[in-house]
Every structure is written in structure tokens, then in C-alpha cells.
Amino acid sequence: MAENQKNLLSDPWRMSQLQKHLCSNNHPYHKFSTGNWDTLEVKPKEKGLDTRAELINFYDSHYSANLMQLVVYGKESLDNIQTLVESKFCDIKNVGRKHFSFAGHPCSSKDLQILVKAVPIKQGHTLRILWPITPNVRHYKEGPCKYVSHLIGHEGEGSLFYILKKLGWAMSLEAGEGDWSYEFSFFSVVIQLTDVGHEHMEDVVGLLFRYITLLQTSGTPKWIFDELLAICETGFHYRDKSPPSNYVVNISSNMQIFPPEDWLIASSVPSKFSPDAIQKVLNELTTENVRIFWESKLFEGHTDLTEPWYGTSYCVEAVPPSIMQKWVENAPNEDLHLPKPNIFIPTDLSLKNVEEKTSFPCMLRKTLFSRLWYKPDTMFFTPKVFIKMDFHCPLSNSSPESSVLTDVFTRLLMDYLNDYAYDAEVAGLYYAVRPNDTGFQVTMVGYNDKMRTLLDTVIGKIADFEVKIDRFSVIKETMTKGYENFKFRQPYQQAMYNCTLILEEQTWPWDEELAALSNLEARNLEDFLPRMLAKTFIECYFAGNIEPSEAESVVQHIEGILFNSSTSVCKSLPPSQHLTKRIVKLERGLRYYYPAMCLNQQDENSSLLHYIQIHQDDLKQNVLLQLLAVVAKQPAFHQLRSVEQLGYIALLRQRNDSGVRGLQFIIQSTVKDPSNLDARVEAFLNMFEVTLHEMPDAEFKSNVNALIDMKREKYKNIREESAFFWGEISQGTLKFDRKEAEIAALEELKKEELIEFFDNHVKVGAPEKKILSIQIYGGLHASEYEKIVHDAPPPHSHRITDIFSFRRSRPLYGSFKGGAGQMKL
């Protein structure tokens, strides 16, 4: 019920339920698929039903060993695993039940050829075009939906999205099968429209059907299937390992659907080219078979119906094929065509021979312009590379305006790259350009074969960047809606945002950034960019299937383009101007609290973030904090969520802000206001204190061993390994052997040290304790908010009334990061 409460103002949940609601009443798909007080208590009682008894009846009717699949993942021998399985699962009865199935599609004829206008919670215009289709799983070896979604969802030149983007009508487009079962399925195309695109909805739908007609009439070229097959096969053979818990869930699900020989591969690699199967799916994407869901705040006040479970306002209009045919005829005459061959599909998958098999990154190269860290692949042996390049530019985040302009720049850069580099992502070479605290960051991960081609393109776009006014306007509109939707974030997310705003020295509030954005023009970015890049230093990390000489050559080439040519935009950054991210130091023995009303008054949920700041990166204290979090996590969840039922979100976890570490409780609730939630956290800590002091030595040792086992767990893929090493580089701590050192410290740890750590830093009333309580008051607790802002602070407490005055008044922790020549090595 608390989970449903959390979802009531979530547009994805609301729109999913609306699609279900507008289906046949007698099909299970139509039903409300989560639970609330009404469905679990009120309505059953009205019918004289006992919910618990009904649940047991359902179990007796449908649960049977012959319908269950089990996957066990372990390093023990098969004989040992079999013995374990038999001992643990032998009591599950096989009562010979048959698979439950519900034949037929949930859409009747009255549910098709409809246009549904719906009012979302957030700003923006979304167009969802759906068709009921034959489930792809029935033809998984042919993979017709993979083929069709690849083409309709393509973003390269000549694609539907390319044209919509050129016209300034769309921000994004996704296509593919969703909500599928063996009995029924839907194919959907979801388009985020611009304001202008919203005015051209009929043209957008017309262009979509024109592109589908193109696909229906141009045959099914085998070279496109062969490309997909090559991409899928390479992806399967070089798939990154995933967390074991995810892997076993996926395989056990596959066992419900596929024959034994395909349990591991499932539908991930289509192996049979079947033009007929592809044509069958295309022939189902017709004007007779379509459902259009159009979401926009502009429909507010123009709807006459309400979806019963989430309260979404909507109206329904009939759109017969004759109307949609007119949309097709009236749509602009643009050059839609099939994609060109993908040049990024890897062909060289050989592994490089690296002589020095180092376990940790080393610094290969250092100049006035850049520093290169390098780590060869000594663990995964896949033809993949991981690259991070941090562009440190002091001007990038020096004000709300510069922060917004840096964001606009990176989004425009990604926008310009998309037409060409979309193929790279399709072929398994992911790339991104994103703003960060000290400038912007280029990330690349995937097959190394075509990495150089893509990276050269990205650097070339930075060097020759020009501001295109039409795309600037679309990016500005997208970002404006993003900022305006900030108020619809869940209360716990607002609490996390405010905590970061209070603790991080150089962060800007969203409303100031929105105000800055609203006044920006394209010429402001044209003026800003050369000034920002005039002071640049690049921190590089290259890892994986790449030789050291190649990594050096790439960085040297980048320096040549950006710094050393006659048209270079970048100039070197003096050591004195290297940026550091510094964190506010809270005062010992004092509880700071920051109460605020939820930005969306319609949200009934309140939230608390109770943060206990403890120390700055220190080996012994790190492991004590980690161990305390391991020991307290489950009791906190049990007490605050299961016993007291404060809310669906009730958790305890560690917090690490640039090496400044602590604990945080996060609770979202309609049951109690944030001040009361704060009191419940302290009550839990009093209860936990007794548990900790009385903990048997054997239990303490068991928890220590569990934490050591976590640290000994090998990285599953190059992303995981690189995320750890890059974290050490970007924070300036450079403790590449951190895990090994922490394991050694844990092996020496005594229970008394953990108790002393708790008593000094976490225990209620501890003299060393530093607390920050972020309190977001939802609509149900407005009166409690009024009370707390008018009441005097309790003893040893201080209410933060102005975040920025508070931030300026506090000392800061020192940074680990030095200038270009002063790195701790």
C-alpha cells in the first residue's frame, strides 16, 4: 500500500494503468496490478471475503513444483549443489497444476482506432502509438520485432527521428515491443514532442505511418538482418558478467518460456532470416489496429473522464483509418529512407598482448595539458575498452549561468553527434558527453576496434563547435521542462537534493539555474565557450584491451587538435586554478535541521533524510563505518519499515561526499511528519545501541567475514573495475589498493572498537556527533511544518533558514586533489 502511495503521482505508473484501463473489462490485463487499502481491505470486506484466506486459496490453486524453475549459481561442485537443492526444496509439493493462461488479446475492436488525450503530472508532451501484435516470443529465432524496432527506432540519417528532429518536432523516439506475454503483446513508438511538435501531432503520426509504409513496401533487405545478427552474436559472446542475483532471475524466467537448448541465449540472438515473419509484424502496424495516447498539460480542463485508480484525467476520440490516411497525405514530404551500413560494427576482436600485467593503474604521461592514467585488462580478456576524459575548466561551474551553459554545450554536442554516432551505440560502443562538477566529461566504453574513429569524431566536434540556433532552442526547451518538473520529484529525492546543496561548496539551486536558462540566447553560448575552454586540463583514464603506446598516441593526438594547432580553442590551465570539490564540515555536538514544504503541494508524502557526518577518508574509520552499516542495515529496515510501517522507502546507507563519510537514514511517509520520523530514527538508534553492546562475538565475527567476502568479490566487468579506479583518481585519493588494505584492517578489528566508534559518533547524545536533518513536509503535514518553523529550536539544535548563508559560515574539509604538478602519487 505504501508502494502504491509512492507511485500515485508518477506519470509512468499513471499512463501504464490508463492503457490497461482502456482494454476489455474481462481480461486480466485491464486490472489494477498493485494494491491499496481499498483493494486489499475495504472491497474484500464488503464482499465478505478474507484477504489472507483468498491468498492461501490462490496459493493452493496455482503453486506446484511442476510449474517452478530453479537456478543455482555457485562455485561448488554439481554434486554438492544437487545435495543442497534436494535438502532445501524437497518439501515443495508437486500437485500437477497446469500453467495458468488467458487466451486472446486484451484489446477488443472498441479499444482500437482511438486517440486518448491525457493530463500528466509533469510538463512535456508525449505521444505513444501502440499496436496489439503477435508476440515476438513465438518467433524468437527469427526476431521480427528486433528487426522492425531497429528500423523504426533508428536515429541516423533518413530515419523517422532524424526527420522529426530536423523539423524541430521531437526530442526523443523509442520503438519496440513491450508488455508482452506468450498470449499477447504490444508494439509501441514513444515520441517526446517539442512545443512545436505538439502543434504538429497529426503530421508526426502521418510521418510515422509513411515510414511504416516504406518498410512494408521496400522488402526486407537481408544485409540489415545480417548486421543485427553480427551485433547480437558479438554481444552474446562478449557479454559482460552481471550480478549473480540478476543472472539467475533472468535464466529462471527463460526456463518458463524457451526450450532447454535456448535457456542461456533466449531471444537475444535471432538466427533465422524470415522475411515473412518480419512482414507479418509490419502488416500489424496499421491504421485499423492503432491506439494513440497523447499526454500534455495543455489538455487540462478539456477532458471528461477519470481513470479510477490514479485519478488521471483523460478523454477518448475515435480516429478511423480515413482520418489517419489524411494525416499521412498532409504530412510534409520529407526524404525518409533506410539506414546506411553500420561502419561501427567491430571486425577485429583480437586481444592485445600487454607485457606488463599490472593490477593497478599507472600514470603513463603528464604534460601541461593532460595527465594519462592507464590500466591494461588483466581479468576479463574481452575486446573492450573503457575511457574517461575529464575536461577541467574553472569557468564551467563558476555561476548558475555558466553551469547551465556548460550543460547546454554538452547536450548540443551529443545532439550533433547523434546522426553519425548513433550507429556506434547500436554496435556496442557507448559514448556520452556530460557536465560534471569541474567542467565536462567524455566517457566511452565498448569494443575497442572502432574506438579511435568515434573518439576522433567527438574531439573534432569539440574543436569545431558551432552553435546552431534551431537546435539551441530545442535543447533550451528540453532543459526548461526538466527544471520545471523538479517540483514533481518524490519528496525523498528533494531531501537528497537539499542535503547535497547544503554540503557541497560550489553547487547552485535549481530555481536560480532555471532563471538563468530562461534569459539565455544562442549568442551567450557562442561567447561563453571559447572563454571556458581557454583554461582547460584533461584528466584521462584508458583501460582494457588497449596497448600503452596506443593510449599515449590517442592522448597526444587529442592534445594536438585541442591545444597545439593554429585554430586550437583550448589553452593550458595553470596549477593554481585546478578546481577542488570541498565539503561543509558540520559542528560536533550540534543537530542542524532544515525544514521545507514539498514543492508539489499535491504530494501527500513527507520525507526525512537524517545524516550523521563522521569523518574524512581514513582507513580504520572507513572499515568501522562500513561494518556498522552492515550490522545496522537489516535491523533498521525491519524496525522502521516492517514493524513501525513508516513507509515503503525506509533505509539506512553510507554516504560519501568527495571522501567525507557518514551514515544516512532516508524515510518517505504519509504516516508521520518529518520531525516525528526524526524521533523514530533516534528511538531506533537507542534500541540498536543495546543490540550492538550485547552482540555475541560469533555474530560480530560473522559480520566481519561477510564484509570481507564482499570486498573479495571480483569485479564482474570492465565498467565495475574502472568505476573504482576512476573514483580514486577523480577524488585525488589514489588508494588503488584500498580493498586489500581494508581487508587487512578488518581482519585485525575488535568488537570493542566498533562499539567505541558507535558510542563516539552515532549514539544518541554522543559528544562527537554531527547531525544534519533534512525535512520535507508533504501536503498531509502542512500544519506541522508551520509549527516547526515558528517554534524555537530545541537544545543543541540549529535550524537552517538560508542554505547559502549557512554554507558560507561553515569551515570546509580539505581536498585530496592538488594542482597539475602537485598530485599525491
Side-chain angles (χ1 to χ4, degrees), residues 577-623:
Q577 287 190 267
H578 276 252
L579 292 175
T580 58
K581 190 161 93 174
R582 298 183 65 187
I583 304 300
V584 164
K585 185 184 282 190
L586 301 177
E587 193 168 322
R588 290 189 177 99
L590 197 56
R591 172 182 165 272
Y592 296 98
Y593 64 104
Y594 177 70
M597 276 302 293
C598 182
L599 294 170
N600 177 17
Q601 299 290 298
Q602 265 48 63
D603 200 325
E604 297 182 341
N605 292 286
S606 290
S607 187
L608 167 78
L609 190 155
H610 181 104
Y611 168 57
I612 303 166
Q613 191 179 73
I614 298 177
H615 69 280
Q616 189 172 27
D617 194 40
D618 171 89
L619 179 64
K620 187 68 173 284
Q621 290 196 301
N622 288 353
V623 296

Side-chain angles (χ1 to χ4, degrees), residues 490-502:
Q490 296 230 11
Y492 82 91
Q493 293 170 320
Q494 293 182 30
M496 291 165 70
Y497 158 81
N498 279 300
C499 190
T500 298
L501 199 61
I502 288 170

Side-chain angles (χ1 to χ4, degrees), residues 206 285 323 377 379 539 582 594 608 619 702 754 793 813:
L285 307 185
I323 295 285
D377 177 7
M379 188 182 293
E539 185 95 75
R582 298 183 65 187
Y594 177 70
L608 167 78
L619 179 64
S702 172
L754 181 63
Y813 280 97

Side-chain angles (χ1 to χ4, degrees), residues 799-820:
R799 179 161 70 89
I800 299 171
T801 53
D802 181 318
I803 287 176
F804 309 104
S805 296
F806 170 77
R807 210 164 68 176
R808 284 189 289 268
S809 71
R810 292 301 309 156
L812 303 171
Y813 280 97
S815 170
F816 294 108
K817 198 139 191 177

Side-chain angles (χ1 to χ4, degrees), residues 40-286:
L40 297 173
E41 179 69 13
V42 177
K43 289 194 173 178
K45 276 192 173 173
E46 285 173 0
K47 296 176 181 177
L49 298 174
D50 180 321
T51 303
R52 183 174 181 276
E54 291 300 311
L55 192 61
I56 292 168
N57 288 340
F58 183 86
Y59 174 84
D60 291 338
S61 303
H62 297 291
Y63 277 65
S64 178
N66 67 301
L67 301 179
M68 297 180 184
Q69 269 71 34
L70 172 67
V71 178
V72 180
Y73 187 119
K75 56 188 176 185
E76 295 79 6
S77 69
L78 285 176
D79 287 345
N80 288 348
I81 289 176
Q82 182 174 341
T83 303
L84 176 71
V85 167
E86 287 171 353
S87 67
K88 296 290 183 187
F89 297 96
C90 62
D91 292 336
I92 297 177
K93 294 176 184 174
N94 181 358
V95 289
R97 301 288 181 208
K98 289 186 177 177
H99 274 285
F100 175 81
S101 66
F102 205 97
H105 207 282
C107 291
S108 62
S109 57
K110 70 176 177 58
D111 304 314
L112 303 174
Q113 298 177 29
I114 58 170
L115 170 62
V116 181
K117 295 177 181 174
V119 181
I121 297 295
K122 292 185 175 182
Q123 293 288 346
H125 321 288
T126 306
L127 195 58
R128 299 175 197 272
I129 302 100
L130 298 102
W131 297 265
I133 61 164
T134 305
N136 190 74
V137 69
R138 296 188 192 174
H139 305 283
Y140 69 94
K141 287 187 183 294
E142 294 86 356
C145 277
K146 260 191 172 58
Y147 185 101
V148 173
S149 61
H150 169 68
L151 293 175
I152 296 179
H154 209 280
E155 298 183 14
E157 191 183 339
S159 68
L160 174 63
F161 180 66
Y162 177 86
I163 297 299
L164 294 177
K165 194 175 106 168
K166 189 180 87 170
L167 292 165
W169 292 354
M171 298 170 178
S172 67
L173 184 151
E174 295 175 358
E177 185 184 30
D179 267 5
W180 65 270
S181 70
Y182 199 82
E183 303 296 338
F184 69 88
S185 179
F186 290 94
F187 190 93
S188 68
V189 177
V190 181
I191 306 170
Q192 297 294 332
L193 300 172
T194 62
D195 290 344
V196 178
H198 178 76
E199 300 300 317
H200 287 272
M201 183 279 290
E202 294 176 5
D203 291 328
V204 172
V205 175
L207 283 166
L208 168 60
F209 275 108
R210 193 178 289 174
Y211 191 69
I212 290 169
T213 303
L214 169 73
L215 298 183
Q216 289 168 336
T217 55
S218 59
T220 47
K222 187 170 185 296
W223 70 264
I224 294 177
F225 181 85
D226 290 340
E227 273 196 355
L228 274 175
L229 178 58
I231 291 165
C232 292
E233 275 189 339
T234 308
F236 179 76
H237 290 302
Y238 297 103
R239 183 187 292 169
D240 288 339
K241 281 191 174 179
S242 58
S245 57
N246 296 356
Y247 185 72
V248 295
V249 167
N250 288 338
I251 300 302
S252 59
S253 300
N254 291 346
M255 291 166 72
Q256 295 269 4
I257 302 162
F258 302 100
E261 65 270 19
D262 290 328
W263 282 347
L264 297 182
I265 200 166
S267 60
S268 59
V269 182
S271 52
K272 295 179 184 173
F273 177 54
S274 171
D276 290 346
I278 294 165
Q279 201 65 44
K280 184 180 179 186
V281 171
L282 286 169
N283 291 342
E284 290 177 308
L285 307 185
T286 65

Side-chain angles (χ1 to χ4, degrees), residues 85 100 128 246 443 503 643 691 694 727 733 742 789:
V85 167
F100 175 81
R128 299 175 197 272
N246 296 356
T443 305
L503 292 176
V643 176
T691 306
E694 294 178 352
T733 42
E742 288 181 344
V789 295

Side-chain angles (χ1 to χ4, degrees), residues 743-800:
I743 288 169
L746 281 167
E747 288 172 336
E748 299 294 319
L749 207 62
K750 295 179 174 60
K751 188 176 78 171
E752 292 71 30
E753 292 176 294
L754 181 63
I755 292 170
E756 183 186 9
F757 179 80
F758 176 85
D759 288 350
N760 286 342
H761 300 287
V762 182
K763 175 181 170 178
V764 175
E768 297 283 301
K769 191 168 180 181
K770 299 182 284 186
I771 303 172
L772 174 60
S773 173
I774 311 290
Q775 305 174 356
I776 305 297
Y777 287 77
L780 288 179
H781 300 125
S783 58
E784 287 90 341
Y785 171 75
E786 293 300 327
K787 184 174 185 306
I788 199 165
V789 295
H790 289 110
D791 286 355
H796 309 294
S797 294
H798 174 82
R799 179 161 70 89
I800 299 171

